[in-house]
Amino acid sequence: MNDPNVGRIVVETEELQNRIAQLGKEISADYAETPPLLVGVLKGAFMFMADLARAIDLPVEFDFMAVSSYGSATRTSGVVRILKDLDLDISGRHVLVVEDIVDSGLTLAYLRKNLAVRGPASLNVCALLLKDGLQRRDPDLRYVGFRIPPAFVIGYGLDAAERYRNLPYVAEYTGPEAGR
Ligand code: 5GP
């Protein structure tokens, strides 16, 4: 893309699709006896969720949550607000949370705690991207797409001020506020 705010490509389209196909196979095998309820974390995970779900060969169900982390545009504070809660009751369900990216791990730690008290039969997480070296606590991810270096990234669902979500690859963001 001819946009000075879009930097180096971190994960190419084809790498994304290949890895997602693998993840779909793994999930299909692991959950063969217990088809999961996929819980997508909006908005960032919408594209990953759509592709991952099509790679899973099981009768899955879907729900979505929208959360926002307080903090600056490119850094989270760990204080999470639920903007949209689940529609479904997850008690007794095998829940697989589908996340776009884990950075400090604080958002996920909050989500996990919030969902665990609702009594799911199991609760696991599939994150497309995991940033190296920044987690303050063990993120305990059952499935990870890619480990990436700790730069702010955009594309494939991830935004900078609501833009760039439709890029078909993941790239470094080099625009205003980058690197803060
Ligand atoms: P954490 O709480 O793990 O530090 O951050 C998780 C959330 O912050 C993600 O769900 C995502 O919304 C946002 N986030 C973290 N790193 C990035 C990034 O590099 N790019 C974008 N666009 N969002 C990020």
Side-chain angles (χ1 to χ4, degrees):
M1 182 185 251
N2 190 18
D3 181 325
N5 294 346
V6 179
R8 187 179 72 84
I9 293 186
V10 178
V11 190
E12 296 277 4
T13 303
E14 198 181 334
E15 293 176 84
L16 285 168
Q17 296 309 328
N18 291 341
R19 181 71 184 121
I20 291 168
Q22 281 175 355
L23 288 172
K25 285 208 178 91
E26 271 182 56
I27 291 168
S28 303
D30 294 349
Y31 284 89
E33 306 304 321
T34 54
L37 171 66
L38 301 179
V39 169
V41 185
L42 297 173
K43 301 176 196 172
F46 81 98
M47 207 169 280
F48 178 41
M49 175 71 134
D51 283 341
L52 181 68
R54 281 177 286 187
I56 298 175
D57 187 17
L58 293 173
V60 295
E61 292 177 28
F62 296 83
D63 207 345
F64 292 91
M65 253 176 125
V67 300
S68 88
S69 322
Y70 289 111
S72 76
T74 57
R75 190 167 284 186
T76 56
S77 63
V79 181
V80 178
R81 194 161 49 116
I82 294 185
L83 303 175
K84 183 215 168 291
D85 205 345
L86 296 175
D87 295 329
L88 302 175
D89 177 2
I90 62 167
S91 69
R93 303 296 306 270
H94 292 279
V95 173
L96 182 58
V97 174
V98 178
E99 255 284 27
D100 49 2
I101 185 164
V102 175
D103 184 356
S104 68
L106 292 170
T107 303
L108 193 58
Y110 170 86
L111 265 183
R112 195 190 287 278
K113 219 189 307 174
N114 184 288
L115 295 177
V117 296
R118 307 184 196 193
S122 67
L123 180 58
N124 285 303
V125 179
C126 176
L128 179 65
L129 305 170
L130 173 63
K131 277 196 208 175
D132 269 336
L134 295 187
Q135 291 79 45
R136 279 176 244 170
R137 54 185 90 184
D138 180 5
D140 186 20
L141 304 171
R142 174 94 177 254
Y143 308 97
V144 175
F146 300 89
R147 287 178 165 271
I148 62 168
F152 192 81
V153 292
I154 51 174
Y156 199 69
L158 293 164
D159 75 315
E162 297 303 330
R163 283 199 55 201
Y164 306 111
R165 293 192 197 274
N166 60 324
L167 295 178
Y169 47 79
V170 177
E172 273 183 27
Y173 177 67
T174 50
E177 252 211 278
R180 274 176 48 183

